[in-house]
Amino acid sequence: IGVDVTGMNALGGGAGIRLNSVRDCEVGRAGEGGGNVIAAMEQSGVYLQSGCASNRVANNYIGTDKTGNAKLPGQGWGIIMSDCSPTNVIGGSVAERNVISGGRGSGITVAWSTGTVIRANYIGVGTNMALLGNGIYGVQVQFSRDFDVGGPSASDGNVIGVCSNDGVAISSSSNGMVRRNYIGVAPSGSVISNADSGVYLGLCFYV
């Protein structure tokens, strides 16, 4: 989507995949050939809005070519979720990992939503830890509640690096968790620094 048939060259477009008031939908799934290559989208790779619930975005390359190690030009935001209901999952397991990198906006933005799970993704880096970046935040959460960035197991964590602002920025939100993530450092211990804070909290309660 937004690339040629080789998955290596940008063609461009507006928004890759948009879900409006949709539930129980899969945008990609685990397994070879189960995901999508979505790149060179001026607006966003995936956009969920207006009451979307119980959807999963998994095993996609968003903002990169099909290798997941080179960014393609023209990508805006990676994934935007606005005014969504529980429980939408971005990633989920190692096999469902998304690579969300190379955009001029944030990797993932969640706003006015409840019960979002962001788990086991590579954000700002490639599959081999290539330093691809994102233009603003790695993960941005605002005016939302009951979210989970990461998870209870070591494999649930996201790898978040090379962002032009904070790795994770949470504002005006409540009852969320940020856990088991690698932020500014790769699992190997190599540095993948974000330009500002690893995690920023502003006007938050019980996070």
Side-chain angles (χ1 to χ4, degrees), residues 2 6 9 19 25 30 53 63 66-67 89 101 107 158 179 186 200 206-207:
T6 70
N9 300 296
L19 305 183
C25 178
K66 71 175 184 181
T67 71
V89 179
S101 302
N158 303 282
R179 50 183 176 159
Y200 168 83
Y206 306 110
V207 176

Side-chain angles (χ1 to χ4, degrees), residues 22 27 34 45 49 87 91 101 134 144 155:
V22 172
V27 180
Q49 65 185 53
T87 300
S101 302
N134 279 299
S144 296
S155 61

Side-chain angles (χ1 to χ4, degrees), residues 44-55:
S44 62
V46 180
Y47 198 131
L48 297 88
Q49 65 185 53
S50 302
C52 281
S54 302
N55 300 293

Side-chain angles (χ1 to χ4, degrees), residues 25-50:
C25 178
E26 291 182 327
V27 180
R29 61 173 60 180
E32 185 176 356
N36 303 284
V37 178
I38 307 170
M41 295 287 113
E42 287 187 14
Q43 298 169 20
S44 62
V46 180
Y47 198 131
L48 297 88
Q49 65 185 53
S50 302

Side-chain angles (χ1 to χ4, degrees), residues 1-14 37-42 64-65 72-75:
I1 301 172
V3 298
D4 67 6
V5 294
T6 70
M8 300 296 288
N9 300 296
L11 298 178
V37 178
I38 307 170
M41 295 287 113
E42 287 187 14
T64 75
D65 66 17
L72 292 178
Q75 182 66 37

Side-chain angles (χ1 to χ4, degrees), residues 34-166:
N36 303 284
V37 178
I38 307 170
M41 295 287 113
E42 287 187 14
Q43 298 169 20
S44 62
V46 180
Y47 198 131
L48 297 88
Q49 65 185 53
S50 302
C52 281
S54 302
N55 300 293
R56 185 177 295 266
V57 182
N59 194 26
N60 301 290
Y61 292 152
I62 301 175
T64 75
D65 66 17
K66 71 175 184 181
T67 71
N69 287 315
K71 61 184 178 182
L72 292 178
Q75 182 66 37
W77 270 246
I79 297 173
I80 298 175
M81 186 178 299
S82 178
D83 190 25
C84 291
S85 304
T87 300
N88 295 289
V89 179
I90 300 173
S93 69
V94 171
E96 296 169 307
R97 169 180 294 140
N98 300 287
V99 175
I100 308 166
S101 302
R104 69 178 183 277
S106 298
I108 299 171
T109 294
V110 178
W112 302 104
S113 296
T114 302
T116 304
V117 175
I118 300 171
R119 184 166 291 169
N121 302 286
Y122 284 173
I123 302 170
V125 297
T127 54
N128 65 359
M129 293 294 110
L131 306 180
L132 305 181
N134 279 299
I136 307 178
Y137 304 108
V139 176
Q140 179 185 26
V141 179
Q142 55 186 354
F143 305 109
S144 296
R145 60 186 175 89
D146 302 326
F147 55 89
D148 195 354
V149 180
S153 301
S155 61
D156 292 338
N158 303 282
V159 179
I160 305 170
V162 207
C163 299
S164 297
N165 207 299
D166 306 312

